Amino acid sequence: MKLTPAQSERIAKTMIWAAALLVIGLLLFIMVYILVKGLPVLSLQFLTDIPRSMGRAGGIASTIVGTFMVTALAIAIVIPFGIGTAFYLAEYTKGNIVTRIIRFSAESLAGIPSIVYGLFGFIFFVIYLGLGWSIISGGLTLAFMILPTVIRTSEEAILAVPHIYREVSFSLSATKWQTISKVVFPSALLGIVNGVLLSVGRCVAETAAVILTAGSSYGMPTSVFSPTRTMAVHFYLLASEGISMENAYGTAALLIVLILLINVVANAFVNRFIAKGR
């Protein structure tokens, strides 16, 4: 039986809605399951004490500090290079050989498994440069890993800005840099921030690359040259080795809460920035 256009449209809408609801349902199920298991574990002592007895006792204070230090270092390194490269590709080139090489390199790097980045960081930063297992080795490795994501998402956000905005700016005698800084960048900011947030989430959740470069020491780090254990690595070791599933769920719950807070605060900041610019 041949379907009418109206019937085809209803079937397509039903399938799209079913797929969307399935994804949302799975996400909510995972989040609720972990939060139900992990939130009762969270307490002031758990958040302020360092792990003891391989993580069987104590808390996760040092892993929280280590996670923030490794992630902050990686983001601080990648933001100027990633966003700068995106503006160069979107605004200053016309599809020449250099542009194609950069895009091909970024796309190729995005498909490399994280364990390969970890091996590279271990050989180059830990051994060759003599940085050892440290926060700076982990941060530099993560910066290389998330650079393609920041470049591609930022470039797409910049290209999504209507070209008429640039033409109007140029018609008012604005320079190229004034157009980029005053018109294009504010308009693309939300997309750029979303790309950076994706990178933050990947840094926070990474295990393979971090454990090979930052180490797995659960002592409190004192500098960027100290080894550390991030929350994701701590969760992985606790769960995979069966050390303490209770503490593992607590660590996972805190990871989810932190990522949600980062997204909410960042989006609120960007929306306020955009509102002020209007």
Side-chain angles (χ1 to χ4, degrees):
M1 183 180 66
K2 187 176 181 180
L3 298 176
T4 64
Q7 291 174 328
S8 300
E9 184 176 359
R10 283 196 296 270
I11 293 173
K13 284 184 177 180
T14 301
M15 294 177 65
I16 291 171
W17 273 103
L21 291 174
L22 177 62
V23 172
I24 294 172
L26 287 173
L27 177 62
L28 289 176
F29 172 76
I30 294 171
M31 291 179 60
V32 171
Y33 180 80
I34 293 176
L35 291 175
V36 168
K37 292 277 190 177
L39 286 179
V41 181
L42 299 182
S43 64
L44 183 61
Q45 182 179 359
F46 185 74
L47 298 176
T48 57
D49 196 6
I50 64 172
R52 295 191 301 272
S53 300
M54 300 296 292
R56 293 183 181 87
I60 56 171
S62 59
T63 67
I64 295 174
V65 175
T67 301
F68 275 105
M69 291 182 71
V70 172
T71 302
L73 180 60
I75 295 299
I77 293 171
V78 83
I79 281 179
F81 290 102
I83 298 177
T85 302
F87 272 105
Y88 172 76
L89 293 173
E91 300 292 331
Y92 287 98
T93 60
K94 299 298 181 182
N96 55 29
I97 185 64
V98 176
T99 305
R100 290 195 292 271
I101 291 173
I102 295 174
R103 287 200 176 101
F104 176 77
S105 300
E107 291 170 359
S108 300
L109 288 172
I112 296 176
S114 60
I115 189 66
V116 177
Y117 281 104
L119 183 60
F120 161 76
F122 176 73
I123 295 172
F124 186 67
F125 297 121
V126 176
I127 297 177
Y128 182 75
L129 295 184
L131 297 175
W133 284 305
S134 61
I135 290 172
I136 191 169
S137 295
L140 288 169
T141 302
L142 289 179
F144 274 94
M145 190 175 69
I146 64 176
L147 182 60
T149 302
V150 175
I151 291 175
R152 296 301 291 158
T153 55
S154 299
E155 185 185 3
E156 292 299 325
I158 295 165
L159 292 174
V161 177
H163 191 68
I164 190 67
Y165 288 13
R166 300 169 178 83
E167 293 179 352
V168 172
S169 178
F170 291 141
S171 71
L172 297 174
S173 302
T175 64
K176 183 76 170 179
W177 174 246
Q178 287 175 326
T179 300
I180 290 174
S181 60
K182 302 296 183 181
V183 178
V184 179
F185 178 70
S187 301
L189 183 60
L190 183 58
I192 292 173
V193 170
N194 285 332
V196 173
L197 288 177
L198 286 173
S199 302
V200 170
R202 189 174 182 188
C203 288
V204 171
E206 183 56 42
T207 54
V210 177
I211 200 171
L212 287 174
T213 54
S216 60
S217 172
Y218 49 77
M220 183 66 72
T222 57
S223 71
V224 293
F225 297 101
S226 301
T228 192
R229 175 186 290 193
T230 63
M231 286 189 287
V233 171
H234 188 60
F235 166 75
Y236 166 75
L237 293 175
L238 292 180
S240 63
E241 298 181 10
I243 296 173
S244 174
M245 290 305 299
E246 183 181 10
N247 288 347
Y249 279 121
T251 305
L254 183 59
L255 278 170
I256 291 176
V257 172
L258 284 177
I259 291 174
L260 289 176
L261 285 176
I262 290 172
N263 278 274
V264 170
V265 172
N267 278 285
F269 171 78
V270 172
N271 290 332
R272 185 175 179 183
F273 178 85
I274 294 174
K276 285 185 176 180
R278 291 176 177 173

